[in-house]
Amino acid sequence: MKTNQFMEKAIRLSLENMRKGLGGPFGAVIVKDNKIIAEGYNQVTANNDPTAHAEIVAIRKACSILGTFVLKGCEIYSSCEPCPMCLGAIYWAKPDKVYFGGTRQDAHLAGFDDSAIYRELTKSLSERKIPMIQIMRDEALMAFHEWVEKKDKLKY
C-alpha cells in the first residue's frame, strides 16, 4: 500500500462509523512494515468513554497486537490532526511518524474545539477552569522513591 491508501482507510473509518452513529468523524490506522496492523475510530458516544478517540483506540490495539507499549517502526495515519490527549498518547507511544488529514481548525469549524484545552495547558494550576489542588505530596512521593530504587523496573 502507499501512503495515500493508508490515509484513505483512516478517512473511510471516520465516515463509516460516524454514519453508523458510533462516534465523531474521526478514524486512524497504524502501519508497520507497509501493512495496517490496527484500526481505530471515534467511539466516545458509543462507549460513553471520553478517551475513546480514534488514535487512542488504534494505539491500544497496535500495542496489544505487538506486545509492546512502544510503536517504534510504526506510522499513524489519522483523518484529523490529533487533539491534545491523542498527541500526548502518540508521544508516549513513540511512533516514527504521524500523517493527518484535516487540521484542528477544520475540526473546530465542525464543532470539535480543543482550543480551551490548549489554553488551559499554558495556565498555572490556580488559574485553570477545573480546580487542580495538590494534596499529600510527601505520601505520594513514596511511589517515586521506590521506583527510583526498583532494580527490575521496565523503563519507558
Side-chain angles (χ1 to χ4, degrees), residues 25-142:
F26 303 96
V29 297
I30 298 181
V31 174
K32 185 173 178 72
D33 299 326
N34 209 35
K35 180 182 166 203
I36 294 174
I37 61 165
E39 300 177 355
Y41 56 87
N42 184 287
Q43 300 173 36
V44 170
T45 57
N47 294 338
N48 294 318
D49 181 354
T51 69
H53 289 202
E55 298 92 335
I56 301 287
V57 171
I59 288 169
R60 288 174 180 160
K61 287 180 182 177
C63 289
S64 179
I65 288 165
L66 296 174
T68 181
F69 52 84
V70 177
L71 296 178
K72 294 249 185 234
C74 295
E75 298 174 336
I76 298 177
Y77 292 79
S78 177
S79 64
C80 188
E81 181 178 355
C83 75
M85 176 182 67
C86 293
L87 188 61
I90 287 166
Y91 274 95
W92 281 111
K94 300 178 178 85
D96 292 355
K97 285 184 186 156
V98 176
Y99 296 90
F100 64 92
T103 67
R104 63 176 137 172
Q105 292 80 13
D106 298 327
H108 172 77
L109 292 173
F112 299 93
D113 186 9
D114 296 324
S115 63
I117 298 170
Y118 286 108
R119 282 193 305 274
E120 286 290 299
L121 292 173
T122 65
K123 294 179 181 179
S124 69
L125 294 177
S126 63
E127 296 175 314
R128 291 188 180 167
K129 184 177 178 180
I130 297 175
M132 302 280 166
I133 303 158
Q134 182 183 31
I135 61 172
M136 297 182 67
R137 179 175 181 252
D138 290 339
E139 293 83 354
L141 288 176
M142 287 188 293

